Amino acid sequence: MIELDSITKYYGNYPAITDISFRVEKGEVLGFLGPNGAGKSTTMKVITGFVPPTEGTCIVAGNNILTDSLAARRHIGYLPETVPLYTDMTVSDYLAFMGKIRGLKGERLNKRVDDVVQICRLEEYFNIFISKLSKGFRQRVGIAQSIIHEPDVLILDEPTIGIDPIQVVETRELIKNLGGEHTVIVSTHILPEVSMICERVIIIHEGQIVAVDKPENLATRLRGTERIELDVAGPTREIVSALEKISGVETVNRKPSHKDKYYSSFEVEAERGIEIRSELATAIIKNKWNLLRLEAVGMSLEEIFLRLTTTEETGKNSINTITEGAPEIE
């Protein structure tokens, strides 16, 4: 549905993005992450046809964004970070106006206005002036205008920035629901948001892609090991000793103490690709200790993001490229 092949964009002599390539399939919700100045906005502008690439090819719904720009843009719905709303119009008038710009008219226009109002839960605000709406409901109006022409592709730039927590949850749920019928790219600085609504993540840094994969896969590839956490009631030293003897276990560490002194928590690092959870459970039960919890855990998206875009030891930027199917990082 969206395919970028070796996209490079120069502003003067400065390369804003370099050799950007990725593909987004129909119905997928993709998270697009990066620090300020990483090249996210430039990539979005290339996809939407706002700026042409210096080099490379961008295809949207089978149309080249450079040579068939109008045809490609008919398939795109766009929500910029600052939503282009006319605050002196009512919600219904604004959506009808945006629909007409998109070529809708007559019964189809009226139906689409009703449809997007229902999808974005704006029924109570149908005849309210946009100036009277909260930031969260203005975001919903912005999303409504982006889907009124039934686009195949949605580009959402910081869709939940500046709205209250309840509306953040509702907006995230709305975006997840849109993913089934639309191909969605969500650009955001809010890392937990990506884990909640996106099936796959792209991390861009200094104009280059440094990671493309599911967050849980990124964690395993970066760390090179599997991590399992356990809560066990029993003698700490004996538990550690028993777990360390299991083949494939590299380290066993007791986690910081907690208020409940009945049990202890442990973190086990094991060789990547080895399933040892059953062996861990068997060792606990064999020694007649009580196993209260056992689960595999990954790095948080925050940890992944920092690992890929910074090097703590030197304080300088570092790039480790990880893509789907790539070998693990040494």
Side-chain angles (χ1 to χ4, degrees):
M1 186 56 64
I2 304 173
E3 186 171 0
L4 277 68
D5 183 14
S6 303
I7 292 290
T8 296
K9 176 62 181 178
Y10 279 87
Y11 291 114
N13 294 323
Y14 175 75
I17 54 176
T18 304
D19 198 28
I20 297 292
S21 298
F22 64 86
R23 181 182 178 89
V24 191
E25 301 296 340
K26 182 177 176 61
E28 183 179 5
V29 181
L30 176 76
F32 201 57
L33 294 173
N36 290 331
K40 298 191 306 298
S41 294
T42 297
T43 306
M44 296 289 191
K45 289 176 181 178
V46 169
I47 295 172
T48 56
F50 187 76
V51 299
T54 306
E55 299 174 6
T57 304
C58 176
I59 304 295
V60 177
N63 300 286
N64 188 307
I65 198 66
L66 191 59
T67 60
D68 302 305
S69 182
L70 288 178
R73 281 187 276 177
R74 290 191 184 100
H75 293 271
I76 299 172
Y78 181 42
L79 178 72
E81 184 176 353
T82 302
V83 186
L85 300 175
Y86 295 104
T87 57
D88 57 345
M89 300 177 74
T90 64
V91 171
S92 59
D93 288 341
Y94 171 76
L95 293 176
F97 172 68
M98 295 302 293
K100 290 176 182 177
I101 290 177
R102 290 291 192 173
L104 305 181
K105 57 185 177 181
E107 286 300 316
R108 188 188 176 203
L109 174 61
N110 295 333
K111 183 178 185 305
R112 283 305 297 163
V113 170
D114 291 340
D115 287 346
V116 298
V117 164
Q118 183 176 5
I119 290 170
C120 298
R121 300 178 186 175
L122 291 165
E123 295 94 335
E124 295 181 20
Y125 306 93
F126 191 73
N127 292 313
I128 301 297
F129 284 98
I130 293 174
S131 61
K132 303 295 184 182
L133 300 181
S134 67
K135 178 67 182 297
F137 280 100
R138 291 189 187 194
Q139 288 292 91
R140 292 194 197 186
V141 175
I143 293 175
Q145 66 81 25
S146 73
I147 63 174
I148 194 165
H149 57 299
E150 299 181 273
D152 302 304
V153 173
L154 281 178
I155 308 295
L156 308 178
D157 194 0
E158 302 286 357
T160 62
I161 196 73
I163 61 179
D164 68 58
I166 294 176
Q167 291 175 332
V168 165
V169 173
E170 293 176 348
T171 302
R172 287 172 179 169
E173 188 63 29
L174 172 59
I175 294 170
K176 286 179 67 176
N177 292 337
L178 290 172
E181 299 180 358
H182 305 81
T183 299
V184 184
I185 298 181
V186 181
S187 173
T188 180
H189 291 87
I190 305 172
L191 299 182
E193 190 161 89
V194 174
S195 298
M196 294 176 187
I197 66 177
C198 299
E199 303 156 19
R200 197 162 54 108
V201 60
I202 289 178
I203 298 178
I204 185 172
H205 179 57
E206 294 186 343
Q208 297 181 344
I209 290 177
V210 295
V212 184
D213 209 334
K214 296 179 180 180
E216 59 269 27
N217 292 346
L218 290 176
T220 301
R221 290 176 181 173
L222 275 174
R223 194 172 53 243
T225 59
E226 304 287 350
R227 186 167 66 185
I228 299 96
E229 289 186 355
L230 308 91
D231 293 338
V232 184
T236 299
R237 290 184 180 179
E238 293 179 25
I239 292 171
V240 171
S241 178
L243 298 182
E244 287 179 336
K245 293 177 182 178
I246 296 174
S247 176
V249 170
E250 295 186 351
T251 61
V252 179
N253 297 304
R254 183 181 179 183
K255 299 187 70 178
S257 60
H258 39 70
K259 293 181 180 180
D260 192 338
K261 297 181 179 179
Y262 173 68
Y263 65 88
S264 298
S265 295
F266 303 89
E267 182 178 276
V268 176
E269 293 275 355
E271 292 179 23
R272 179 181 167 188
I274 297 178
E275 176 52 68
I276 65 166
R277 283 176 290 182
S278 60
E279 294 187 44
L280 294 173
T282 299
I284 299 298
I285 295 170
K286 182 179 179 180
N287 284 281
K288 298 183 179 180
W289 301 318
N290 292 325
L291 178 60
L292 306 177
R293 180 177 69 96
L294 187 154
E295 63 177 335
V297 296
M299 296 171 69
S300 70
L301 194 53
E302 286 88 346
E303 290 177 299
I304 295 169
F305 186 82
L306 291 172
R307 177 77 174 269
L308 287 168
T309 59
T310 62
T311 301
E312 294 182 2
E313 291 82 357
T314 63
K316 297 180 181 179
N317 291 330
S318 174
I319 296 179
N320 292 318
T321 303
I322 302 179
T323 57
E324 289 178 292
E328 67 181 86
I329 298 299
E330 296 296 336

